Amino acid sequence: MNRGNATERVVTLMMAAGRSRRFGPADKRLARLPDGRFLLAASLEASQALSARGVLVVGPDESLATLGLDTTPEAPRLLVAPRADEGLGASLGDAFTRLLEDNEMRDVEAAAVWLGDMPAIAPSTCRRLAGAAAPERIVRPRHAGRPGHPVLFGRAFWPRLATLSGAQGARGVIAESPHACVDLEVDDPGVHRDIDTPACLAAFWRLD
């Protein structure tokens, strides 16, 4: 494997299996941005700067078509999280269990957990995160004194992540390993900009 190409050492896990109650009855993933793109599609496009190896984590009975995505050679692989209805932790547990079993992922050193409602993370941030990834590290961006997303988990942490369940995400894994955490200071407010409500969507592109 060419270690000189940092983005090839990382796989992006696009977490899109949940149902956002705060957004209302509409499927947030299919919300339209001002430029006409679907929210999930825009997040996937942004993640290409981090890695071309993408895995889209979805719930049962979902497909690229139901999520407004085209079937192309560049389309992300689908990973179905059977326990998606239990919450983000369960979806992460399902996803990392599958990654550990996947022979095509044997050469991957880190997985970036990217939330499906975050389309504004800068390409420069993605490149810095990929460059800092390592099997024994947890790497995350920090802006204005606060950590953000995506968070890159080195392969050494995948077995622990595979045990996650319920609604709690991966914060506990981060708290357990402060010695392994690397925070990169970035001039990128996009690492904090997720779209939780219709009001957030309406105001999203007006934010400084």
Side-chain angles (χ1 to χ4, degrees):
M1 184 176 187
N2 179 14
R3 289 186 58 85
N5 189 345
T7 62
E8 288 298 316
R9 296 187 281 114
V10 177
V11 62
T12 299
L13 281 181
M14 184 64 63
M15 305 305 298
R19 296 290 183 268
S20 179
R21 295 180 178 86
R22 293 178 61 189
F23 200 80
D27 189 333
K28 180 171 72 171
R29 300 168 297 183
L30 297 177
R32 291 279 188 182
L33 297 178
D35 60 11
R37 292 178 299 166
F38 292 127
L39 174 56
L40 177 58
S43 296
L44 283 165
E45 184 176 335
S47 74
Q48 289 291 305
L50 198 155
S51 175
R53 304 176 76 162
V55 175
L56 177 58
V57 182
V58 300
D61 302 319
E62 295 187 314
S63 66
L64 292 174
T66 62
L67 295 171
L69 302 172
D70 295 329
T71 302
T72 67
E74 294 76 30
R77 293 173 53 186
L78 284 187
L79 188 157
V80 175
R83 300 179 297 149
D85 287 343
E86 297 178 23
L88 177 60
S91 293
L92 286 168
D94 290 341
F96 278 98
T97 296
R98 289 281 301 278
L99 287 186
L100 287 166
E101 297 170 347
D102 191 338
N103 286 333
E104 293 186 18
M105 297 293 167
R106 286 179 299 179
D107 61 344
V108 174
E109 296 185 4
V113 175
W114 191 306
L115 304 183
D117 61 357
M118 298 191 73
I121 298 165
S124 58
T125 296
C126 293
R127 290 189 290 268
R128 287 192 61 199
L129 291 169
E136 303 290 336
R137 286 181 182 170
I138 299 172
V139 183
R140 58 186 179 176
R142 178 179 290 270
H143 173 72
R146 293 191 295 128
H149 285 89
V151 180
L152 279 65
F153 291 94
R155 194 179 190 94
F157 298 94
W158 293 11
R160 172 67 178 92
L161 289 158
T163 70
L164 293 177
S165 61
Q168 181 67 34
R171 291 180 181 177
V173 179
I174 297 172
E176 292 166 6
S177 305
H179 61 283
C181 292
V182 175
D183 285 353
L184 297 182
E185 293 290 340
V186 297
D187 184 16
D188 180 10
V191 302
H192 296 146
R193 291 182 179 173
D194 56 343
I195 297 176
D196 287 330
T197 67
C200 289
L201 179 62
F204 190 74
W205 298 110
R206 297 197 298 269
L207 293 174
D208 294 331

